[in-house]
Amino acid sequence: MIKIFVKKDQIYSNPIEYILSVFSRNKALAVCYVDDKAQSQIIVDHTDSNSIKINLEFFDKLINKQLYNFQNYFDEKPYIKFQDGSIDCLSTAFYLINSFQEYREDKASDDSYDKFGRFKYSKSLQSKFYCMDDNIVQKCFNIFCSEYPVLEAAINNDLPSRVMLTHDIDKMHDSFNQDGMWALR
């Protein structure tokens, strides 16, 4: 069991706990949250020098300022980075899993949406970085494991994905007509 301390009442507290719970399920790791740093193996506290790195700027922009457009966070690759240029695995995974790039305040005046109100692929980070076939979240989880010795044993414990999110349900239901007609012929 991995013991994790997360500083309470911070802008990052709930998002980090959430993404660490997704991470722990993905890696088949038992984790528990502790209230005492001295009992923890992983510390999440921006005021502690022993803490994992936390991207305060990212959480401020995303949560306080509600800046959702991926271009606020992703420059040359489909990964959010810390100021030192290293990959911020937890923020990247959190952003992607929650599909924040699809959030907008005013869809009517934004050309990121089609006539049905669906987010256009052409406006996505997957289109910009040509990474639609890459499991970026899994890569982030693996990188995160490699950065912390307490997690290294779980680096290859990837839980296979069983879900694919899509807004193209019209294509899914249309396959019955196309394939069904072919089968009847």
Side-chain angles (χ1 to χ4, degrees), residues 19-31:
I19 203 61
L20 287 174
S21 72
V22 174
F23 166 79
S24 69
R25 281 192 309 273
N26 174 268
K27 293 295 183 181
L29 285 174
V31 300

Side-chain angles (χ1 to χ4, degrees), residues 119-163:
F119 185 71
K120 293 179 186 175
Y121 170 76
S122 62
K123 300 294 183 177
S124 70
L125 71 92
Q126 289 83 355
S127 175
K128 178 179 180 175
F129 298 114
Y130 199 71
C131 62
M132 63 286 214
D133 292 332
D134 296 342
N135 190 341
I136 295 166
V137 172
Q138 188 64 61
K139 288 178 182 177
C140 285
F141 286 166
N142 291 344
I143 292 168
F144 185 68
C145 281
S146 70
E147 292 175 341
Y148 300 97
V150 70
L151 301 172
E152 280 182 333
I155 199 163
N156 293 318
N157 289 359
D158 304 350
L159 186 66
S161 265
R162 295 183 298 204
V163 176

Side-chain angles (χ1 to χ4, degrees), residues 55-181:
N55 197 331
L56 293 173
E57 181 184 0
F58 165 75
F59 289 108
D60 179 54
K61 285 166 83 175
L62 185 71
I63 296 169
N64 287 337
K65 296 177 181 159
Q66 297 182 338
L67 299 174
Y68 301 124
N69 190 314
F70 76 87
Q71 293 171 353
N72 292 304
Y73 310 105
F74 300 85
D75 294 327
E76 337 164 323
K77 294 188 178 182
Y79 297 95
I80 294 171
K81 298 207 174 159
F82 289 106
Q83 288 184 341
D84 67 5
S86 61
I87 294 174
D88 180 353
C89 298
L90 296 181
S91 295
T92 300
F94 181 74
Y95 184 89
L96 293 174
I97 284 175
N98 290 290
S99 302
F100 281 111
Q101 70 178 332
E102 297 186 26
Y103 290 32
R104 296 287 195 281
E105 289 99 37
D106 184 15
K107 288 184 180 182
S109 66
D110 191 337
D111 73 339
S112 297
Y113 296 87
D114 66 13
K115 64 182 179 181
F116 301 109
R118 299 178 300 190
F119 185 71
K120 293 179 186 175
Y121 170 76
S122 62
K123 300 294 183 177
S124 70
L125 71 92
Q126 289 83 355
S127 175
K128 178 179 180 175
F129 298 114
Y130 199 71
C131 62
M132 63 286 214
D133 292 332
D134 296 342
N135 190 341
I136 295 166
V137 172
Q138 188 64 61
K139 288 178 182 177
C140 285
F141 286 166
N142 291 344
I143 292 168
F144 185 68
C145 281
S146 70
E147 292 175 341
Y148 300 97
V150 70
L151 301 172
E152 280 182 333
I155 199 163
N156 293 318
N157 289 359
D158 304 350
L159 186 66
S161 265
R162 295 183 298 204
V163 176
M164 182 185 121
L165 300 176
T166 181
H167 67 271
D168 288 333
I169 59 170
D170 50 333
K171 299 288 185 201
M172 291 171 51
H173 294 297
D174 200 34
S175 69
F176 173 76
N177 293 335
Q178 294 170 357
D179 296 341
M181 294 305 280

